[in-house]
């Protein structure tokens, strides 16, 4: 037949075949295939570019996902750009405020050709603060404030654009009576802190300054010392935590937006595996698709920022306004946003795809998922607590340079604690929903959906979870800092509502001023007090500055009863006051019945060489001092007009305490108009029981504005997230409707599907917020105090946002449940 099976095909004795076989068996083994090399920059760039092309040319589904991503990222980028503009907004306002400052520093210059005499003439109108200065030049070369062409002459004034508009409107009709000046121009931008500021410069005659309580001279405009005082450590902590709480939800939402349309995208990636792409290449292509959406989101965010920038400029909120040129992002922060947002989109996509098996025949996502690990989720909040705990009780303590890092340490600890709280949410949702079982049809539809994709549901509420947790902690810190920065004024607004201090030359001027104020509409009564100082003529002190002094107060009986505990009072009575030793010294008891006092003073210094003596009547009654409505206590002598002629007082001071009729609207404005007829610089002070520091008020206003913007972003972002999820389920919803499922059933299932993660997220945010709040209170040395009302309000706001988003998603949900959704191309 034929030769051996393994032998050579050529004829012969078989030797050649055996030799060949031996040679083959003795040859060295073939080298093993080299492992695939890690892709280089060129490979990465090519795959990312391919993903970008798929985002553009992948049809309607790809465009829908790209637009969703761009809108979501754009909303977050807009808020980040606004936050990046805060440094330039603050510096722009500070530079202009320093340029227009008109306060005397050091020794006041003597009158000369280059000096100008000033007095503050601020006033209030409804809820508007109006900054004003009255001025009169001393010579022919006076300095002029920024923003005006020339100094106003007597009877003229420059006004800001906002004040000019107010005076010309119907709203400012009552205000026009307060300014007896002719408007000659509008103050330019360089002379204003913001476009919505109410400011004016008015010219008055030199002699009108005689009625001004305090005036001063300057020879140049602008603050010389701009360093300012450092903020209180508690306020610094409030600013740091406020920035973390406001910006962290934005960053989390940007990361969430990069995963929009993930399920449909992953199914398209299976086709790439079918044509030969490996798993790493498909991930890079998916990252390129997200990268394109995030870059487009940067453009959307920049466009929205420019629109918001125009809307912000000229607008006023909580007394703050900015010019368009101020709202410019800091260059380093803007570059960080431009680089970080696309990089985070790529990183989030790659991390999300590590748990997904994309095979040529489909995506293994709906199989039984691997349980989420808990240990690393607990590690994040523990690291945050580890950073915050060492700062307990010593955040404001000075050290050898270490205190400069404490704000950064506090910010890092808060970020880790809040992110750890958010990271726990997917594990918590998965652990809870897997135990759900029987129930109504809407409940079963909702729980089954949550069991299949609990991560998507957790991501939808992650932003509101971290926002509520941070808001609860911030509220606890805010309440503590507010208590530290709030002082009791000892004023009693129930006894009097307005008070004015006036310089008068004699008693006739005081009586005229009291009469004008009493004739103002809405004034029930005027408690007019005229007072001056007197000294002890028996003193042996060689230096007049060391002669004991006290005060003589002249008023009618109703006013005197507000100053001392007086049971019986008639015109002609005199009282000696026994004051609290806290307010008086041991030398103030020389004004006794029958004693002589010296009324002569020169620039606040007694003149024993040229005395004006007056004898205290022996019939004077001793009374105990009483805290007046302003919160002060008087000592010395109280006299009625029938017992002492006010014209005998040297350099008297008049004080008017007014009681208003609450039934008369704008009663305060009528009083301010009446005060302007007495003196343009007369300060009308409103009595309040407490006052807060200006720094705290400014921080509170900025945090309120930022919280409003963040809340609006969270609401808008959740609407976008919900619409994206509904779009992914469009066909499934249409199938259910085609099989006869009622719309109400599906609507309730959507509500339950949203409510379960929300309830779990709010519970987690309460725990995380309380933990962070306790640590923050320990850092500022305060005891643990939970503002339960504030906590309930924050939780209610978070739940309200979810409810509004759910209701807003119902109309598109009903449109997607139409049978036309079964069509495909």
């Amino acid at each position: 037949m034929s030769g051996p099976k393994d032998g050579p095909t050529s004829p012969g004795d078989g030797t050649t075949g055996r030799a060949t076989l031996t040679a083959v068996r003795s040859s060295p083994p073939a080298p093993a295939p080299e492992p695939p090399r890690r892709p280089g920059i060129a490979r990465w760039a090519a795959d990312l570019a391919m993903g970008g092309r798929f985002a553009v040319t992948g049809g309607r589904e790809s465009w829908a996902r790209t637009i969703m991503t761009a809108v979501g990222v754009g909303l977050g980028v807009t808020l980040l750009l606004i936050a990046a503009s805060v440094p330039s907004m603050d510096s722009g306002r500070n530079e202009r405020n320093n340029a227009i400052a008109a306060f005397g520093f050091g020794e006041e210059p003597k009158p000369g050709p280059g000096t100008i005499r000033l007095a503050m003439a601020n006033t209030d109108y409804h809820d508007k603060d109006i900054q004003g200065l009255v001025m009169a030049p001393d010579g022919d070369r006076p300095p002029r404030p920024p923003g005006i062409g020339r100094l106003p002459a007597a009877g003229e004034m420059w006004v800001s654009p906002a004040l000019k508009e107010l005076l010309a409107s119907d709203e400012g009709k009552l205000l026009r009576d307060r300014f007896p000046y002719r408007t000659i121009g509008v103050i330019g931008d360089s002379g204003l802190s913001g476009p919505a500021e109410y400011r004016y410069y008015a010219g008055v005659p030199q002699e009108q300054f005689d009625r001004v309580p305090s005036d001063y001279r300057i020879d140049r405009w602008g603050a010389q010392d701009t360093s300012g005082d450092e903020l209180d450590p508690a306020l610094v902590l409030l600013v740091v935590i406020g920035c973390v709480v406001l910006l962290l939800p934005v960053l989390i939402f940007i990361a969430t937006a990069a995963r929009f349309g993930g399920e449909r995208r992953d199914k398209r990636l299976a086709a790439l595996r079918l044509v030969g792409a490996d798993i790493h290449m498909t991930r890079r292509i998916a990252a390129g698709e997200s990268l394109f959406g995030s870059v487009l989101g940067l453009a959307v965010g920049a466009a929205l920022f420019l629109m918001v920038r125009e809307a912000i400029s000229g607008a006023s909120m909580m007394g703050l306004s900015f010019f368009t040129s101020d709202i410019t992002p800091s260059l380093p922060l803007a570059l960080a946003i431009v680089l970080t947002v696309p990089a985070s989109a790529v990183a989030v996509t790659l991390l999300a795809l590590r748990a997904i098996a994309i095979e040529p025949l489909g995506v293994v996502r709906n199989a039984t998922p691997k349980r989420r690990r808990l240990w690393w989720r607990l590690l994040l909040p523990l690291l945050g607590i580890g950073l915050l705990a060492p700062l307990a009780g010593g955040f404001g303590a000075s050290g050898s340079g270490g205190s400069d890092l404490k704000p950064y340490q506090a910010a890092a600890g808060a970020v880790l604690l809040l992110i750890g709280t958010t990271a726990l949410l997917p594990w918590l949702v998965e652990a809870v929903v897997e135990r759900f079982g029987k129930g109504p049809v809407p409940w079963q539809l909702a729980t089954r959906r949550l069991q299949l994709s609990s991560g998507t549901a957790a991501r939808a509420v992650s932003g509101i979870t971290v926002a509520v947790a941070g808001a609860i902690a911030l509220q606890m810190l805010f309440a503590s800092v507010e208590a530290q920065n709030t002082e009791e004024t000892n004023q009693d607004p129930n006894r009097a509502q307005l008070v004015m201090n006036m310089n008068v030359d004699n008693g006739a001027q005081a009586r005229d001023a009291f009469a004008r104020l009493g004739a103002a509409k809405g004034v029930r009564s005027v408690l007019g007090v005229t007072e001056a100082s007197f000294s002890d003529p028996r003193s042996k002190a060689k230096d007049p500055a060391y002669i004991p002094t006290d005060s003589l107060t002249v008023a009618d009986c109703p006013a005197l009863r507000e100053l001392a505990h007086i049971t019986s009072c008639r015109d002609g009575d005199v009282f000696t006051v026994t004051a609290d030793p806290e307010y008086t010294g041991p030398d103030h008891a020389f004004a006794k019945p029958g004693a002589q006092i010296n009324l002569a003073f020169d620039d606040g210094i007694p003149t024993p060489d040229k005395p004006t003596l007056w004898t205290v009547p022996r019939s004077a009654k001793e009374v105990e001092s009483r805290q007046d409505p302003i919160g002060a206590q008087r000592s010395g002598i109280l006299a009625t007009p029938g017992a002492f002629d006010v014209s005998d007082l040297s350099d008297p001071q008049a004080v008017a305490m007014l009681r208003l009729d609450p039934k008369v609207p704008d009663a305060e404005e009528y009083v301010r108009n009446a005060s302007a007829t007495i003196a343009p610089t007369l300060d009308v002070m409103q009595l309040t029981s407490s006052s807060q520091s200006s720094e705290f008020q400014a921080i509170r206003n900025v945090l309120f504005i930022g919280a409003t913007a963040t809340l609006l972003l969270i609401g808008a972002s959740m609407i976008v997230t919900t619409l994206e999820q509904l779009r992914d389920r469009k066909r499934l919803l249409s199938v259910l409707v085609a099989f006869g499922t009622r719309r109400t059933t599906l609507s309730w299932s959507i509500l339950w599907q949203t409510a379960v993660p929300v309830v779990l997220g709010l519970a987690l945010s309460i725990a995380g917020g309380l933990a962070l709040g306790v640590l923050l209170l320990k850092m500022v040395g305060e005891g643990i105090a939970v503002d339960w009302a504030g906590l309930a309000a924050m939780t209610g706001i978070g739940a309200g946002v979810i409810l509004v988003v759910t209701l807003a998603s119902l109309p598109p949900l009903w449109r997607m449940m139409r049978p036309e959704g079964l069509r495909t191309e």
Side-chain angles (χ1 to χ4, degrees), residues 461-498:
V461 298
S462 59
I464 199 70
T465 300
V466 69
V468 171
I472 291 173
L474 190 62
Q475 179 73 15
M476 296 173 64
L477 178 63
F478 191 88
S480 172
V481 175
E482 183 178 22
Q484 293 181 11
N485 287 268
T486 302
E487 296 181 354
E488 295 297 328
T489 62
N490 294 325
Q491 298 173 359
D492 190 351
N494 295 320
R495 295 164 62 191
Q497 291 75 52
L498 299 177

Side-chain angles (χ1 to χ4, degrees), residues 664-723:
V664 177
D666 292 332
E668 295 180 4
E669 308 307 329
Y670 290 113
V671 171
R672 292 190 176 100
N673 287 356
S675 68
T677 64
I678 302 172
T681 60
L682 192 57
D683 185 19
V684 180
M685 183 178 67
Q686 187 171 15
L687 299 184
T688 58
S689 58
S690 62
S691 64
Q692 292 179 339
S693 66
S694 58
E695 294 87 355
F696 174 77
Q697 291 179 356
I699 294 172
R700 179 189 60 188
N701 295 345
V702 172
L703 289 179
F704 175 80
I705 296 172
T708 302
T710 303
L711 190 62
L712 292 175
L713 170 71
I714 290 175
S717 65
M718 293 194 65
I719 290 176
V720 174
T721 304
T722 303
L723 293 178

Side-chain angles (χ1 to χ4, degrees), residues 203-347:
V204 296
Q206 283 279 0
E207 57 269 16
Q208 199 163 2
F209 283 95
D210 297 337
R211 302 287 299 276
V212 173
S214 60
D215 63 283
Y216 53 94
R217 284 182 171 87
I218 61 171
D219 54 7
R220 61 186 179 274
W221 292 82
Q224 297 178 354
D225 183 11
T226 60
S227 58
D229 299 330
E230 294 185 357
L231 279 179
D232 183 82
L235 294 179
V236 174
L237 182 62
L238 186 62
V239 172
V240 171
I241 300 303
C243 293
V244 170
V245 170
L246 296 180
L247 294 180
L248 192 57
V250 179
L251 300 177
I252 290 178
F253 171 67
I254 290 178
T256 303
R259 299 183 64 176
F260 283 170
E263 297 184 13
R264 290 177 176 267
R265 176 202 60 197
D266 298 342
K267 294 177 181 178
R268 294 195 302 270
L269 295 178
L272 294 176
R273 294 297 315 277
L274 191 61
V275 297
D278 59 14
I279 187 67
H280 301 288
M281 182 177 180
T282 55
R283 292 175 180 174
R284 291 192 294 270
I285 292 174
E289 196 171 350
S290 298
L291 177 64
F292 180 83
S294 64
V295 172
L296 187 60
L298 284 175
V300 172
L304 291 175
F305 169 74
L306 294 177
M307 296 172 59
V308 174
R309 182 185 186 215
E310 292 296 328
I312 292 177
S313 63
S316 177
M317 177 177 280
M318 308 293 287
L320 297 176
S321 63
F322 303 93
F323 292 104
T324 304
S325 57
D326 294 335
I327 312 173
T328 303
S330 171
L331 183 59
L333 295 177
L335 290 177
I337 293 172
V338 171
L339 296 176
T340 303
V341 170
S344 63
V346 172

Side-chain angles (χ1 to χ4, degrees), residues 45 91 119 143 183 275 367 431 437 473 555 562 571 630 643 755:
S91 64
T183 302
V275 297
E562 296 294 330
D571 191 20
I630 308 175

